[in-house]
Amino acid sequence: MHADELDLDAPLVRRLIARRFPHWSALPVRRLASSGTENAMFRLGGELVVRLPRRPGAVPDLAHERHWLPLLGPRLPVAVPEPVGAGEPDEDFPWPWSVYRWLAGTNPVAGAVEQPELLAEELGLFVRALRRVEADGAPTGYRGGPLPERDEPTRAAVAELGDRVDARAVTELWERAVSVPEHGGPPEWAHGDLSPGNVLVDGGRLGAVIDFGCAGVGDPAVDLMPAWNLLPACVRGVFREAVGADEAEWARGRGWALSVALIQLPYYWDTNPALAKNSRHVIAEILTEAG
């Protein structure tokens, strides 16, 4: 997916485990299919998963997660990744890597959510619980700044997409979003990347939220993106009520969903079909909602 990413495979992970964690060296290793863009995942036995950064830009996220997940996890209503091993660079792999406990579940598919109303409520309660975590001393989220800061890359993405999107319509909607009043309260915790690939469901219920590399404090409206990238329109109100979002925050959340989808789409159009498909879904949902 990226020009600067490394080739990663199961034999490499076996060597890394054998040297760093010999007590796990007999466990089978297999690569997991994923739409993730920054890390590769390998199942280690039945209870563990190994996560390796694909490229240099993903490396800081590992230390970020190792520090903050143990503090956030006990305060949240669903499971989050639990780091159990810290791998270090060696002659085979130049960056740190991590081992986590395995979390059961599957990624939901936008447009095919098994229990949409229940998932909408549970996602909203997760977002609300994360916002209540003490923000003093917390890092600024990767997507924690004001929405207008994304104006230039969003417009550049629209231009790059050309006639693959309705440029006039999405630009008009984007201009509406950046004209909304900015977050006026104190910074609050947000996950920052609540996409279908970072949500695990079990029996239709929210089982876990993964990948906290973007998490931090700022405008929490960014965590409203599941209203358009995952949930059907008929339960958006359930999600909004569970979160407690007012009109301005809801509009900023829609703007975040539109901006992220537009910027991702040209970059991943050919290299990550699942992510590109979801980006097209988001744009279509927002255009439909706007009439």
Side-chain angles (χ1 to χ4, degrees), residues 163-283:
D163 60 6
R164 289 180 286 183
V165 296
D166 184 335
R168 182 196 59 78
V170 296
T171 299
E172 179 182 334
L173 291 172
W174 173 244
E175 289 173 348
R176 289 186 202 171
V178 296
S179 69
V180 172
E182 296 181 8
H183 177 60
E188 294 180 303
W189 271 99
H191 178 277
D193 194 15
L194 283 180
S195 61
N198 289 333
V199 171
L200 296 178
V201 294
D202 189 0
R205 303 199 62 168
L206 179 63
V209 176
I210 62 175
D211 194 349
F212 281 69
C214 293
V217 300
D219 179 2
V222 66
D223 276 354
L224 299 177
M225 291 194 294
W228 299 275
N229 70 25
L230 174 57
L231 298 169
C234 61
V235 298
R236 284 184 192 137
V238 176
F239 176 65
R240 179 177 174 178
E241 183 176 355
V243 174
D246 63 20
E247 285 291 338
E249 183 180 6
W250 189 251
R252 292 197 306 276
R254 186 189 298 110
W256 272 106
L258 180 62
S259 175
V260 170
L262 288 169
I263 291 172
Q264 286 180 342
L265 188 51
Y267 189 89
Y268 293 114
W269 188 280
D270 296 314
T271 60
N272 192 322
L275 195 58
K277 180 179 180 181
N278 188 255
S279 295
R280 290 193 293 270
H281 171 84
V282 170
I283 295 166

Side-chain angles (χ1 to χ4, degrees), residues 3 64 68 120 263:
H64 182 80
W68 290 105
I263 291 172

Side-chain angles (χ1 to χ4, degrees), residues 119-182:
L119 182 59
E121 182 176 4
E122 291 178 336
L123 271 171
L125 294 176
F126 165 82
V127 170
R128 197 163 189 162
L130 183 55
R131 292 178 175 193
R132 288 197 297 264
V133 177
E134 176 59 52
D136 286 349
T140 300
Y142 172 69
R143 293 172 174 156
L147 196 58
E149 291 180 356
R150 298 177 63 85
D151 188 58
E152 183 177 345
T154 301
R155 291 178 184 273
V158 173
E160 186 176 355
L161 284 163
D163 60 6
R164 289 180 286 183
V165 296
D166 184 335
R168 182 196 59 78
V170 296
T171 299
E172 179 182 334
L173 291 172
W174 173 244
E175 289 173 348
R176 289 186 202 171
V178 296
S179 69
V180 172
E182 296 181 8

Side-chain angles (χ1 to χ4, degrees), residues 38-39 53-64 89 93-97:
E38 298 298 312
N39 298 276
R54 295 173 179 267
R55 57 175 181 163
V59 174
D61 293 352
L62 272 80
H64 182 80
F93 190 71
W95 308 314
W97 48 281

Side-chain angles (χ1 to χ4, degrees), residues 19-34:
R19 285 196 292 268
R20 185 71 176 89
F21 304 108
H23 53 291
W24 290 331
S25 61
L27 296 176
V29 175
R30 64 180 177 88
R31 185 161 189 167
L32 297 171
S34 170

